[in-house]
Amino acid sequence: MADDPSHNDDNESKSGTQTLVKPKPELKEPSFYKVVLLNDDFTPMDFVVHVLQKFFNKNMEEANTIMLQVHHQGSGVAGVYSHEIAETKVYIVNDYSRKNKHPLKCVMEKA
Ligand code: TYC
């Protein structure tokens, strides 16, 4: 087979050049998750702005813009994080809202 000119190996063209096949990477690319705030009719706007500043390091202007996006469109992205950080953000925001007796909800979704 090695001398047969009609034979063309998958990894070798007729010109005799070889294509390098990348080895499968051992490590997975990290996945990212959006932390999304959901609108409701009862949580005060000020509280949502406060949450965005306290837990997502937004300044007043950024927090206001995101809060209004949620208010008008139904949802908005507070931040994008690794799976573990996103899970923690969701937990602390929902816990904080519940303790302050507001129905504000936060979820995560794949970015
Ligand atoms: N819709 C709420 C209101 O009118 C405000 C609000 C904004 C609530 C964003 C939740 O994630 C939210 N008071």
Side-chain angles (χ1 to χ4, degrees):
M1 232 1 148
D3 298 332
D4 178 0
S6 68
H7 174 75
N8 188 22
D9 209 43
D10 270 359
N11 191 29
E12 192 170 350
S13 75
K14 288 194 174 91
S15 66
T17 53
Q18 272 193 323
T19 310
L20 293 177
V21 178
K22 262 197 192 157
K24 198 164 175 258
E26 293 296 315
L27 297 172
K28 285 209 180 76
E29 290 285 313
S31 305
F32 291 94
Y33 292 80
K34 293 184 276 195
V35 172
V36 177
L37 289 179
L38 304 178
N39 191 34
D40 65 72
D41 293 338
F42 306 104
T43 304
M45 290 182 173
D46 283 356
F47 182 77
V48 181
V49 170
H50 165 71
V51 162
L52 285 160
Q53 291 183 106
K54 184 176 174 70
F55 298 115
F56 299 97
N57 306 315
K58 303 300 182 191
N59 64 35
M60 179 59 99
E61 199 186 324
E62 293 167 330
N64 247 303
T65 302
I66 297 169
M67 182 280 293
L68 287 175
Q69 150 85 24
V70 180
H71 179 67
H72 290 298
Q73 310 297 324
S75 66
V77 178
V80 177
Y81 305 94
S82 68
H83 189 275
E84 194 180 354
I85 303 284
E87 241 176 19
T88 306
K89 295 279 181 193
V90 168
Y91 185 86
I92 60 171
V93 168
N94 288 336
D95 187 56
Y96 187 74
S97 299
R98 191 175 42 78
K99 282 175 176 155
N100 283 279
K101 304 206 173 340
H102 296 306
L104 176 64
K105 283 284 177 293
C106 182
V107 297
M108 64 194 266
E109 56 184 58
K110 206 158 189 314

